[in-house]
Amino acid sequence: MLIIGLTGTIGSGKSTIAGFMQDMGAPIIDADKIGHEVYLPHSFGWQKVVAAFGESILSQDKSIDRQNLGEIVFNDPDELKRLNHIVHPLIIQSIKDVLEELRRNHAKIVVLDAALLIEAGLESLADEIWVTTAPENVLYKRLSTSRNLTSQQIRQRIDAHMPAAKQIKYATRVIDTNVPLDELKAKIALLWEEISIRIAK
């Protein structure tokens, strides 16, 4: 089983590429989705986060208000580290469990889609690391449109990631997503074909 760790700064097109690869037949492990499950009300992760940050981060239905929590951690690097120290081990264990199930089911190519792949120590689980990149002005345009974030919110979220230049040092492949969508899809299709041939040998 070949595990591709897919990462990149917020807005860099990572999820788009994951979608292409899912269409080609790869199971996708979405670390962000698993992260959301860690926050489910009254789960172990929920209890730890609420104990650390207080009940002011809760919505009326007792779910964690991710936007409220984000305002706390993205404005204070120490608070972000504290949150990551709580949730990263829980996310990593869940990902390992999913990988083991996929291995038992004889999956050939698996994509681990994780914005914090390197920061969370998940790169050790991957056979290849693909890093998506795009110019910063493109990131701002995408995020202001797709997520309705202000410039300040975008800056905070970009700064919360490892800089692209550092991510690239870990990369097996660097994928520039600042191209027409059809061109990007064709590029991923070629990579998929190349990998499929390689693992079939």
Side-chain angles (χ1 to χ4, degrees), residues 1 15-16 20 34 37 40 43 51 65 67 90 110 147 158 167 178 187 201:
M1 186 171 82
S15 297
T16 298
F20 291 158
I34 289 175
E37 293 170 357
L40 287 175
S43 66
D65 185 329
Q67 187 168 355
L90 301 175
V110 176
R147 304 201 187 187
I158 290 174
Q167 290 179 337
N178 189 31
K187 184 189 297 186
K201 289 181 179 178

Side-chain angles (χ1 to χ4, degrees), residues 117-128:
L117 182 85
I118 299 162
E119 295 94 320
L122 291 166
E123 82 282 357
S124 62
L125 300 178
D127 300 301
E128 293 192 6

Side-chain angles (χ1 to χ4, degrees), residues 2-195:
L2 181 76
I3 303 168
I4 298 171
L6 179 61
T7 193
T9 304
I10 184 171
S12 64
K14 178 176 59 63
S15 297
T16 298
I17 289 174
F20 291 158
M21 297 191 75
Q22 186 172 37
D23 289 344
M24 293 169 195
I28 308 296
I29 302 175
D30 185 338
D32 190 51
K33 183 178 178 182
I34 289 175
H36 279 277
E37 293 170 357
V38 165
Y39 290 96
L40 287 175
H42 310 294
S43 66
F44 179 70
W46 179 93
Q47 292 176 30
K48 297 279 282 185
V49 172
V50 173
F53 294 94
E55 294 192 2
S56 64
I57 63 168
L58 296 178
S59 302
Q60 285 188 338
D61 63 359
K62 297 300 182 184
S63 63
I64 291 174
D65 185 329
R66 295 286 294 268
Q67 187 168 355
N68 191 353
L69 181 60
E71 289 301 317
I72 296 170
V73 300
F74 290 125
N75 280 305
D76 187 333
D78 288 335
E79 294 286 52
L80 182 59
K81 284 180 185 177
R82 186 153 70 114
L83 177 64
N84 289 341
H85 184 71
I86 295 168
V87 299
H88 282 175
L90 301 175
I91 293 170
I92 289 168
Q93 187 55 54
S94 292
I95 288 170
K96 286 180 177 178
D97 292 344
V98 175
L99 284 171
E100 187 55 40
E101 183 180 352
L102 288 168
R103 194 172 276 111
R104 286 197 300 268
N105 291 330
H106 308 292
K108 299 294 185 184
I109 302 171
V110 176
V111 176
L112 172 51
D113 176 359
L116 299 177
L117 182 85
I118 299 162
E119 295 94 320
L122 291 166
E123 82 282 357
S124 62
L125 300 178
D127 300 301
E128 293 192 6
I129 296 175
W130 293 11
V131 175
T132 55
T133 64
E136 197 160 278
N137 66 306
V138 174
L139 301 182
Y140 271 81
K141 184 177 179 182
R142 289 174 179 173
L143 292 169
S144 63
T145 303
S146 64
R147 304 201 187 187
N148 198 28
L149 296 173
T150 66
S151 293
Q152 182 183 1
Q153 289 171 325
I154 293 169
R155 181 77 265 159
Q156 289 170 341
R157 282 154 177 77
I158 290 174
D159 289 346
H161 287 76
M162 179 181 287
K166 286 189 177 181
Q167 290 179 337
I168 287 169
K169 292 179 181 179
Y170 292 83
T172 310
R173 303 177 190 274
V174 179
I175 302 171
D176 177 10
T177 65
N178 189 31
V179 296
L181 204 59
D182 287 349
E183 183 179 327
L184 182 61
K185 188 172 185 178
K187 184 189 297 186
I188 300 305
L190 283 173
L191 288 174
W192 175 267
E193 184 177 0
E194 175 192 316
I195 291 169

